[in-house]
Amino acid sequence: MSPDGALVGRHAEIRQIDALLDAARQGKGGAVVLRGEPGIGKSTLLGYARQAASGFRVMDVAGAEFEMELPFAALHQLCAPVLDHVTGLSAPHRKALEIAFGLDTGTPDPLLVGIATLGLLSETADERPLLCVVDDAQWLDHASAKALAFVARRVAAEPVAVLFGLREPAPEPGRPGEPSPEQGRLAELDRLPAITLAGLAEADARALLKAEVRAPLDERVRDRILAESRGNPLALLELPRSAGLTGMAGGFALPGASPLSSRIERSFEARLGHLPVAVRLLLTVAAADPVGDPQLLWKAAGSLGIEPGSAETAAGSGLIEFGTRIRFCHPLARAAAYNSADPGDRRRAHQALAAATDPVTDPDRLAWHHAQASVGPDEGVAAELDGSAARAQSRGGVAATAAFLERAAELSTDPVRRVERVLAAAQAKLEVGDYERTGGLLSTVATGSPHQLARADVLRGRLSFVRHRGAEGAHAYLLGAARRMAELDPAWSRARYLDAIEMGILIGGLDDIVAAAKDAPTGDGTDVLLDAIVSLVTEGHRAAVPVLRPLISDVGGEQWTRRPSLALILAAEVWDFDSLRGIGHRIVELGRTSGSFFTLPIGLAMAATAGVHAGDFGAATEMISEGAAIVEATGASPLVYPSIHLAAMRGRKQEATELFDRVLAASQLMTISVHWATAVLNNGLADYPAALAAAQRAVASRDLANAGLALPELIEAAMRCGEEEQAATALRSLTKRTQAAGTPWGLGVEAYARGMVTGDEESYRAAIEHLEGSLATVARARAHLLYGEWLRREGRRREARERLRQSHEMFSDIGMEAFAARAAGELRATGEHVRSRANQAGDELTVQEMHIARLVAGGETSREVAARLFISPRTVDAHLRNIFRKLGITSRRQLRDLDL
């Protein structure tokens, strides 16, 4: 910044900030992350935004290294001035914030805290536009970062602007593009629009240096400063200060091979070196507790014998300012004050701060200061940190839990407790996605009890799965854990074999896992699921299904709540549509009751898939939309298989193909599902060669569920392509499965497949009879179509018209456009005129718009819809305006009269 207050060389960035503020004034909020190396000008631009936000209410928060371990600390600091608006929130959202901020007891759900924060800011912005400034975002605690990123992605319909300043270390000289060890970018902010600040252009850098450095400056030194600082404004201003007048006149030289942030920090260290010992100790104490509470600082300083006059000298250095809150001039100045201090002085500072901290109101900061003051292992301090970890866990701070446990493990004197703390910390690190540190912690577990070593192997397997999708043999770790505990804890061992099987179904290697599971310890007589799955894979459906069917029919069984993905796969494998649907809805119910945003998306995906096969595309779309809203809000991986099923059945070729390509590009785990879906799509489009090729790939995989579902697709495509022997072989395989299952869905599909292969009319009639009482509406419509096509080829046009007309109506009502077009073509071949399907009311709506329209048509208010979809009421209203425009209506009442 030049002496007249103008920002030098930042015209483009200023325009972007002005545009963000102008949009917020018009009720079109947004967020921007200012990214860049230390000293590049992020804080200066944030200061400009505060000044430019005329008419706004400005709310500020700055991340602090110490606060990173305390869940929701930064969020509380930001929201504290406007907590009087919390009364305008619904009771659950109000309670979520109060728990998160320590004003009530309980365990807050991070997602509820996010939507409650959005509601709080929306209520606040009713008075005037709102600017939220978040500096030093790299030091936000994990819970606050997730909540603020959640809010930032959802303010598009609010008069709210959010600006983050996020430090990204500069690459080291000679190593451009390599990640620095200190790189701390938050994944939660990666999806937000960003402005990456580069160094100033040479002309701007020269102008800034000339304006700020008034002392004589040798031209060669000037050139060296400009070259070494790479246009970093703080480096341009700070490095010459540490050289002194003589150095600037001709002898100044900068170190040539260290990161720029280190050079700037050394410049601050040089300034610190000229200060008296007591002043440096005061700055060390201030740096050790970045909360900036003057009362706490002076209490700690007094216990160290530091005289109040030291503050005047410290302030005169320009490194720190004392007021209602204590602030360093730059984060690197704080780092320099702390890192350059003698280790003994750092421990003294933390001891003094611990003595000054209230153990009742701030037990976690007390424990952390004790930990930093410890010279070596200290079981008492480790126990304190255990308590802090438990409190952090109860407040939803999984990242903080991990940090406390990790430090507790380092201080443990008891080897058994150390391993327990390491395993707990690794579990917490895994949950928050810190995979590198999870692996580091697990690498320290070389000894321990058999159960501890087995748990470590389970965590290694799960880590391998999430990092590499099993490329390193994720299930091998689970099998090793299962074998280790086979004699000591047979029930635990069998459960790990089941976990390995579920993982094997998802990533491959099932046959090897099942072979290993044959050696599993014997169950207690009630635990038969593992044996049944082993029997299914090794002996076939006739041996296994009589045992599996009762288990799967128990839709409320505890084993399915623990392993819902396995439930879905097995229900489809044994053609049990009622259980497929029932288990899905049961998991949804459990997810809603418990408030678990891990369980609920799985249940919604299962129920949506069942809804697709039941022909209720509207309900399926609604559940897909709600599931997408949850996983987007939580940052979890999306569950795409219901969307794949829906796209295949709907039959819009371009739309479906684009989805399939995106899914395959993102993950190979869904390859077999995409092969099955491609076969269904192309059978509907009557592109039988393409359908045959896809079905062959799906069946060849021997994948549970998908391979069985692909058999009827292969039979239909093979018969249309003249591959009768191939169709007959597939029919024999299908029959083994469906006869063992004995369900209406399976028997009906088998019957119409048999009709295609044999040309037996009774098979078609049997198919319709089996499916008439089934919820598998899609299969019933296809049975009518296939029977009608057979009748037409037999020359029985009048009878054919009846079946084809029925199938056409069913497909049209469901929204299966490709199959409806195929039925229409067959009808025209019988001589009947077929009207084109009129556009349905929701055809032009997006998935989310359809969901909102259905909810509003059902009587829900904007506030209720917003809570369900984790958006603000204003965003719901914005969507409704688009919905009304697309549907040509003007009110919510008219929505109720439309067929959505």
Side-chain angles (χ1 to χ4, degrees), residues 7 52 231 260 307 326 404 577 586 630 822 839:
L7 287 173
L260 186 58
E307 297 294 331
I326 297 166
F404 285 126
F577 192 88
R586 171 63 176 158
I630 294 171
R822 181 173 142 189
N839 288 336

Side-chain angles (χ1 to χ4, degrees), residues 130 167 279 298 357 484 599 813 900:
L130 186 63
R167 185 178 79 178
V279 176
W298 295 121
T357 299
R484 191 188 296 273
T599 301
D813 289 344
L900 298 173

Side-chain angles (χ1 to χ4, degrees), residues 316-334:
S317 71
L319 295 170
I320 195 170
E321 60 182 58
F322 298 92
T324 56
R325 185 174 178 183
I326 297 166
R327 299 176 184 271
F328 279 81
C329 67
H330 192 275
L332 288 177
R334 179 189 298 280

Side-chain angles (χ1 to χ4, degrees), residues 2-15:
S2 65
D4 63 2
L7 287 173
V8 175
R10 296 299 185 198
H11 306 297
E13 291 84 355
I14 288 172
R15 284 195 297 271

Side-chain angles (χ1 to χ4, degrees), residues 373-448:
S374 298
V375 179
D378 187 322
E379 190 61 43
V381 175
E384 280 187 68
L385 291 169
D386 282 342
S388 293
R391 285 188 292 275
Q393 183 73 51
S394 71
R395 293 182 60 202
V398 181
T401 302
F404 285 126
L405 288 170
E406 185 175 4
R407 182 62 174 146
E410 293 170 1
L411 296 175
S412 299
T413 57
D414 184 319
V416 175
R417 288 185 179 178
R418 188 195 73 81
V419 175
E420 281 298 311
R421 288 162 177 155
V422 167
L423 291 174
Q427 175 69 53
K429 292 285 188 183
L430 185 62
E431 288 180 23
V432 299
D434 188 351
Y435 303 140
E436 194 68 33
R437 194 67 198 115
T438 302
L441 286 165
L442 291 174
S443 70
T444 69
V445 182
T447 60

